[in-house]
């Protein structure tokens, strides 16, 4: 990967993480139409912890931020 591509990748990654703040609602790749969006709890190191409010607070899932 060239230096220019690396810089572009870092900027893109940073902008994605900034958008996925706690409290945001997100869908996942191939998200079924009948499933409500997931709630973001936190994002760190390329992973976002999300939960589906209808499933309760104890069911959480770590998802790669690029899949959201």
């Amino acid at each position: 990967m060239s230096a220019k591509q690396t810089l572009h990748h870092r900027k893109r990654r940073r902008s994605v993480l900034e958008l996925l703040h706690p409290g945001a609602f997100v869908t996942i790749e191939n998200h079924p139409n009948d499933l409500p969006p997931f709630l973001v709890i936190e994002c760190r190191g390329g992973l976002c912890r999300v939960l589906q409010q209808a499933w309760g607070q104890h069911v959480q899932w770590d998802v790669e931020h690029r899949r959201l």
Side-chain angles (χ1 to χ4, degrees):
M1 189 179 292
S2 72
K4 185 176 180 179
Q5 288 173 323
T6 301
L7 180 61
H8 175 72
H9 179 71
R10 284 184 189 158
K11 283 182 181 179
R12 188 172 139 214
R13 182 176 172 186
R14 190 174 342 138
S15 66
V16 169
L17 291 177
E18 288 172 2
L19 295 175
L20 298 177
H21 54 84
F25 285 92
V26 296
T27 57
I28 299 172
E29 285 179 351
N30 302 318
H31 195 96
N33 292 333
D34 61 342
L35 182 66
F38 287 87
L39 175 67
V40 175
I41 298 171
E42 69 176 339
C43 290
R44 288 190 181 175
L47 289 177
C48 292
R49 179 161 294 172
V50 299
L51 67 84
Q52 181 53 253
Q53 290 181 312
W55 299 347
Q57 295 293 320
H58 300 291
V59 180
Q60 300 175 1
W61 188 25
D62 289 332
V63 182
E64 294 175 333
H65 69 83
R66 63 184 169 86
R67 292 190 57 211
L68 301 174

